Amino acid sequence: MRDDRTDPPAGSAHGRTGPPVLARHGEALDLFTDRVRAVRDDQWKAPTPCTDWTVRDLVNHLVSEQLWVPPLVRDGATVDDVGDTFDGDLLGSDPVAAWETAAAASRAAFRAPRALDRAVHLSFGETPATFYCGQMTTDLVVHAWDLSRAIGADETLPGDLVDFAAREIEPYAAELAKSGLFDPPLEPPPGADAQIGTRFAPA
């Protein structure tokens, strides 16, 4: 699951993410947890703005993302070490419990003593754990909007999380646009707030 990450530009985004990233990461986990708990039994097969994913697929993706954190951050594992451990269906018969377990593991790994002082081995090489935490936070924020729209929940995201995600993405937004993972950026209407003004359209 790490191969969908875009290489960070040299010397750019790393310096933008400091210790406050833990607060934003925790808030993003809480936001996504709130949305997962709001999914009705009849909505797990519903479509999402991520056109290839149902609600269940989307939540499964985020569960997988969180389960990668302990081996990479805590254990110093590489992508090859983890391999396909977290591929396939991870939700089982209780998707909410699967999400909550994975979210707790991710939170604990990033908050362990000196965890953010470490480097992690991602698909594009050794990277500061702060940058990885920032990427994970941004991923949670973006997909919280996707899940909100899919289930008819409030799509308005907390302003501090929107601002954080925008700052994280800004240094490599052009590379994201060329990755094929997103549709062309949408032109925001005049007077749009930060959330609308920075929205990427998923491919």
Side-chain angles (χ1 to χ4, degrees):
M1 299 297 288
R2 300 269 56 79
D3 287 336
D4 62 354
R5 299 297 183 189
T6 300
D7 294 13
S12 60
H14 294 352
R16 290 176 175 265
T17 314
V21 71
L22 287 178
R24 301 289 85 81
H25 179 253
E27 291 166 6
L29 283 173
D30 292 343
L31 174 66
F32 199 80
T33 297
D34 179 71
R35 296 302 186 268
V36 172
R37 289 173 176 169
V39 178
R40 300 194 312 266
D41 289 344
D42 63 346
Q43 291 182 313
W44 289 102
K45 293 183 179 180
T48 73
C50 301
T51 52
D52 293 335
W53 287 345
T54 64
V55 167
R56 185 181 178 92
D57 294 330
L58 175 62
V59 174
N60 191 69
H61 170 70
L62 270 295
V63 166
S64 176
E65 292 279 276
Q66 307 318 307
L67 290 176
W68 274 84
V69 177
L72 294 182
V73 175
R74 182 192 63 206
D75 303 334
T78 67
V79 171
D80 288 341
D81 291 335
V82 179
D84 61 1
T85 302
F86 304 124
D87 288 356
D89 178 55
L90 301 168
L91 302 187
S93 61
D94 193 340
V96 176
W99 163 255
E100 291 178 344
T101 298
S106 174
R107 192 190 306 263
F110 275 127
R111 288 178 177 268
R114 305 190 67 82
L116 294 187
D117 295 335
R118 301 170 190 164
V120 294
H121 302 278
L122 303 183
S123 59
F124 47 78
E126 192 170 277
T127 306
T130 51
F131 180 82
Y132 178 42
C133 190
Q135 279 200 325
M136 292 291 285
T137 302
T138 299
D139 199 53
L140 284 161
V141 173
V142 171
H143 287 311
W145 179 84
D146 293 327
L147 186 53
S148 297
R149 170 153 292 195
I151 66 173
D154 184 3
E155 298 176 16
T156 305
L157 306 177
D160 58 348
L161 289 178
V162 172
D163 291 343
F164 177 89
R167 288 194 302 271
E168 283 294 307
I169 290 174
E170 180 184 8
Y172 54 95
E175 295 303 313
L176 283 178
K178 294 187 294 186
S179 70
L181 298 173
F182 301 89
D183 285 341
L186 302 176
E187 185 66 29
D193 61 17
Q195 178 174 327
I196 295 174
T198 58
R199 182 176 298 162
F200 278 96

